[in-house]
Amino acid sequence: MSAKIEYRCFVGGLAWATTDQILHEAFSQYGEIIDSKIIKDRETGRSRGFGFVTLDNEKAMRDAIEGMIGTDLDGRNITVT
């Protein structure tokens, strides 16, 4: 049994108002999104300004990183790795 490879990219520099849904929609142009998650502070429930997007294949992940790095999302230039 082999472990399933996950094609996950880190998204940083997010606006506090950015939601999982906004992240999902922004990256969906590159391929099928398996998961999109904004990391929230445990105490306050507020966004910590970063999240992760998991795509279904390596090409989609590479295209998303290349296409989204430095783009404007909710008024902030995001970093994607």
Side-chain angles (χ1 to χ4, degrees), residues 8-56:
R8 178 181 294 151
C9 42
F10 169 85
V11 186
L14 295 170
W16 303 125
T18 303
T19 63
D20 294 345
Q21 184 62 35
I22 291 169
L23 201 59
H24 184 281
E25 287 169 11
F27 280 80
S28 64
Q29 62 187 308
Y30 298 100
E32 189 180 332
I33 306 292
I34 293 168
D35 188 38
S36 58
K37 185 121 191 86
I38 304 280
I39 305 306
K40 296 190 165 65
D41 185 279
R42 233 180 261 142
E43 318 269 302
T44 65
R46 277 187 54 176
S47 165
R48 292 185 56 200
F50 68 94
F52 297 93
V53 177
T54 307
L55 294 107
D56 71 339

Side-chain angles (χ1 to χ4, degrees), residues 10-14 27 68-71 77-81:
F10 169 85
V11 186
L14 295 170
F27 280 80
M68 292 297 290
I69 195 162
T71 59
N77 281 355
I78 60 171
T79 57
V80 186
T81 53

